[in-house]
């Protein structure tokens, strides 16, 4: 009878662990597990349990290591996660399980010996299993909330979290192996005190894990903020150059317009005196000066005109079409326009260059009342939308600053970025 009850409890425990481990790994890495993932992982855990009972009856670190390897395989090849992320998910999942086991075992070791041989013991075992699942679920939820994992954004620093997690897991396995290898039915007060001390130690281990996850998240956010700050500083420097060049171009154009009457008088004099060749040469010089002051794309804003000419001029392999005229009475700062256009063009050019087919960019604008809609369309690779990066974050910040919004859309190999701005913003 005890054998079958123990077998049922072990089966429930393994099934519950399989579900929690796969769900935790999927939530941690942003992947959606399927029913086959749960089934295959449960069979792997059962195989590990049967082999360990047959060849390693005392348990130890080998069965746990085999379980971690099984979860790594499911994460790496089943869910398609990266190698370091898969190792971290497996170690964290098993550490939380073993820590929950340790906390429950501490309470069992202090209470259950008084009920050995009594029917109430079976109810207590079921209650302990339910508390184990509840405690594990709470720990997994807390870990997910603290870690706030985004695939690919933190893998550079994953070693900072993986090694402490391995240390915590090893310490917990040592406690389980040395303190709970057998159940003593005749506990003294001193032994009860030892189990209570182990319980407190493992609760502190849980707190240490949560603090480590929180510190890791803050550290990654600090690294990301530093990288974004450097990117913004570089973008600000580039945009100041565009603005300075636009101002210089404006002064040159103003000077040329001021002198245009004198140039026309000289040309008229050459023609009146019959000096046609000299007149043609003088006219060619005027055309050269005029072309040097003109922009390949006319938007009504010299800063944007220079930026478009600079960016698109370096991407001559991409077919570009610009059909927009920015309103003259526009309350948007030139610096913010530079941020918007520079980031949108950089993303569009990068997407076009990654595409092995047609490469095209189309920029258009339309005003309706106080709002102006900018649309950037470009060809790209077929597939899901890429994750939002610093460029889109900067564009979104500009849109929100001017009481607008940002929208991205992808249809096959066509990507569309729409930015709505309130041009009457003062």
């Amino acid at each position: 009878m005890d054998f079958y009850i123990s077998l049922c409890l072990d089966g429930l425990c393994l099934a519950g662990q399989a579900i929690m481990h796969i769900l935790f790994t999927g939530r941690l890495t942003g992947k959606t597990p399927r029913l086959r993932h749960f089934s295959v992982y449960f069979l792997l855990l059962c195989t590990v349990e049967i082999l360990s009972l047959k060849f390693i009856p005392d348990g130890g670190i080998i069965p746990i290591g085999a379980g971690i390897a099984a979860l790594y395989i499911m994460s790496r090849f089943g869910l398609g996660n990266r190698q370091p992320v898969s190792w971290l998910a497996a170690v964290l999942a098993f550490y939380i399980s073993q820590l929950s086991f340790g906390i429950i075992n501490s309470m069992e070791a202090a209470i259950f010996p008084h009920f050995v041989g009594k029917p109430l013991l079976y109810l207590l075992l079921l209650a302990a299993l339910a508390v184990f699942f509840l405690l594990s679920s709470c720990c997994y939820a807390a870990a997910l909330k603290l870690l706030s994992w985004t695939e690919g954004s933190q893998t550079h620093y994953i070693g900072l979290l993986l090694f402490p997690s391995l240390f915590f897991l090893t310490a917990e396995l040592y406690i389980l192996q040395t303190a709970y290898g057998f159940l003593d039915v005749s506990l003294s007060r001193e032994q009860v005190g030892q189990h209570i001390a182990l319980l407190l130690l493992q609760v502190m281990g849980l707190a240490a894990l949560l603090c480590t996850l929180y510190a890791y998240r803050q550290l990654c956010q600090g690294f990301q903020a530093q990288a974004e700050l450097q990117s913004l500083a570089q973008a600000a420097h580039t945009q100041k150059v565009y603005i300075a060049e636009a101002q210089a171009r404006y002064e040159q154009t103003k000077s040329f317009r001021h002198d245009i009457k004198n140039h026309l008088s000289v040309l008229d004099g050459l023609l009146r005196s019959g000096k046609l060749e000299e007149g043609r040469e003088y006219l060619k010089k005027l055309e050269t000066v005029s072309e040097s002051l003109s922009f390949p794309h006319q938007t009504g804003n010299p800063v944007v005109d220079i930026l478009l000419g600079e960016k698109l001029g370096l991407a001559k392999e991409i077919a570009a079409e610009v059909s927009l005229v920015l309103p003259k009475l526009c309350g948007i700062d030139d610096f913010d326009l530079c941020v918007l256009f520079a980031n949108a063009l950089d993303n569009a050019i990068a997407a076009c260059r990654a595409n092995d087919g047609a490469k095209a960019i189309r920029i258009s604008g339309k005003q309706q009342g106080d709002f102006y809609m900018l649309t950037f369309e470009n060809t790209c690779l077929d597939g899901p939308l890429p994750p939002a990066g610093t460029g889109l974050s900067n564009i979104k910040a500009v849109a929100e600053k001017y009481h607008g919004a940002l929208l991205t859309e992808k249809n096959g190999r066509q990507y569309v970025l729409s930015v709505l701005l309130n041009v009457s913003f003062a």
Side-chain angles (χ1 to χ4, degrees):
M1 182 70 177
D2 291 342
F3 171 77
Y4 292 108
I5 292 177
S6 177
L7 184 63
C8 290
L9 290 177
D10 288 343
L12 285 174
C13 187
L14 287 177
Q17 285 188 79
I19 294 173
M20 289 190 297
H21 287 177
I22 295 295
L23 284 177
F24 173 73
T25 302
R27 290 285 302 277
L28 183 68
T29 58
K31 302 297 177 61
T32 303
R34 306 294 181 185
L35 181 60
R36 64 177 182 275
H37 298 136
F38 296 101
S39 303
V40 173
Y41 181 58
F42 175 65
L43 291 176
L44 289 175
L45 285 183
C46 291
T47 302
V48 170
E49 182 71 13
I50 293 171
L51 292 177
S52 63
L53 289 175
K54 184 175 181 180
F55 299 103
I56 314 174
D58 295 332
I61 196 171
I62 295 179
I64 299 297
I68 292 175
L71 185 54
Y72 166 80
I73 291 171
M74 292 305 304
S75 176
R76 180 77 175 89
F77 302 103
L79 298 177
N81 294 316
R82 298 180 182 179
Q83 182 175 352
V85 179
S86 298
W87 280 122
L88 177 64
V91 171
L92 279 178
F94 267 85
Y95 172 64
I96 291 175
S97 291
Q98 296 303 310
L99 185 64
S100 301
F101 267 129
I103 293 174
I104 299 301
N105 282 340
S106 296
M107 294 187 292
E108 289 179 348
I111 299 173
F112 282 21
H114 303 290
F115 296 92
V116 173
K118 299 179 182 179
L120 187 58
L121 179 63
Y122 300 114
L123 293 177
L124 290 176
L125 289 173
L126 289 173
L129 185 61
V131 173
F132 161 73
F133 287 137
L134 178 62
L135 179 60
S136 298
S137 300
C138 293
C139 291
Y140 286 128
L144 289 170
K145 185 176 181 180
L146 285 172
L147 195 55
S148 298
W149 182 270
T150 52
E151 175 73 18
S153 64
Q154 302 169 341
T155 47
H156 298 296
Y157 321 114
I158 202 169
L160 299 176
L161 186 58
L162 182 57
F163 289 106
S165 301
L166 284 171
F167 171 77
F168 290 146
L169 177 60
T170 304
E172 180 61 30
L173 291 178
Y174 177 79
I175 292 175
L176 292 176
Q177 186 69 16
T178 56
Y180 303 111
F182 60 93
L183 183 64
D184 191 354
V185 295
S186 57
L187 285 176
S188 62
R189 290 184 178 180
E190 182 180 356
Q191 290 173 318
V192 172
Q194 290 175 352
H195 288 301
I196 294 175
L198 287 175
L199 173 62
L200 295 176
L201 181 63
Q202 291 174 105
V203 170
M204 287 189 290
L206 173 60
L209 171 67
L210 299 180
C211 290
T212 302
L213 295 179
Y214 176 78
Y216 177 76
R217 184 183 68 175
Q218 294 299 110
L219 183 64
C220 288
Q221 289 177 349
F223 287 148
Q224 185 177 0
Q226 184 179 7
E228 290 178 357
L229 184 61
Q230 292 176 351
S231 176
L232 287 175
Q234 184 178 2
H237 174 73
T238 304
Q239 287 146 18
K240 287 179 180 178
V241 172
Y242 286 136
I243 293 173
E245 186 177 345
Q247 291 172 344
R249 187 74 67 90
Y250 175 77
E251 293 298 329
Q252 292 173 0
T253 304
K254 184 178 178 181
S255 177
F256 180 76
R257 288 178 177 175
H258 180 268
D259 296 335
I260 192 66
K261 290 183 179 181
N262 297 328
H263 293 305
L264 292 176
S265 296
V266 172
L267 185 60
D268 182 64
L270 291 173
L271 294 176
R272 285 178 180 274
S273 61
K275 298 179 180 180
L276 298 180
E277 290 299 325
E278 289 83 350
R280 290 192 184 96
E281 290 296 327
Y282 197 82
L283 185 59
K284 287 181 180 179
K285 291 180 181 179
L286 289 179
E287 288 178 354
T288 303
V289 174
S290 177
E291 288 177 358
S292 66
L293 295 175
S294 64
F295 302 100
H297 306 287
Q298 306 289 332
T299 67
N301 185 293
V303 175
V304 175
D305 292 346
I306 289 178
L307 192 148
L308 288 172
E310 184 84 13
K311 295 285 186 182
L312 297 176
L314 295 175
K316 295 181 179 180
E317 75 279 10
I318 301 173
E321 178 186 348
V322 180
S323 57
L324 68 92
V325 176
L326 294 171
K328 293 182 179 180
L329 298 177
C330 180
I332 302 176
D333 187 79
D334 286 342
F335 184 84
D336 294 324
L337 284 174
C338 273
V339 171
L340 195 158
F341 276 88
N343 285 284
L345 284 171
D346 287 341
N347 290 345
I349 291 171
C352 285
R353 285 174 172 169
N355 185 26
D356 53 359
K359 304 177 188 295
I361 295 175
R362 184 176 184 273
I363 306 171
S364 59
K366 181 180 180 181
Q367 185 172 1
Q368 186 172 359
D370 292 337
F371 288 91
Y372 194 85
M373 176 68 82
L374 280 168
T375 304
F376 299 85
E377 302 176 54
N378 61 270
T379 54
C380 60
L381 290 172
D382 194 8
L385 275 172
T390 304
L392 279 180
S393 299
N394 294 340
I395 297 172
K396 183 179 179 182
V398 172
E400 292 176 347
K401 178 179 177 180
Y402 293 95
H403 300 168
L406 177 147
L407 177 66
T408 59
E409 184 181 2
K410 189 173 184 301
N411 295 317
R413 290 180 174 266
Q414 194 73 16
Y415 179 82
V416 180
L417 168 65
S418 301
V419 184
L420 182 66
L421 300 169
N422 186 342
V423 293
S424 65
F425 187 88

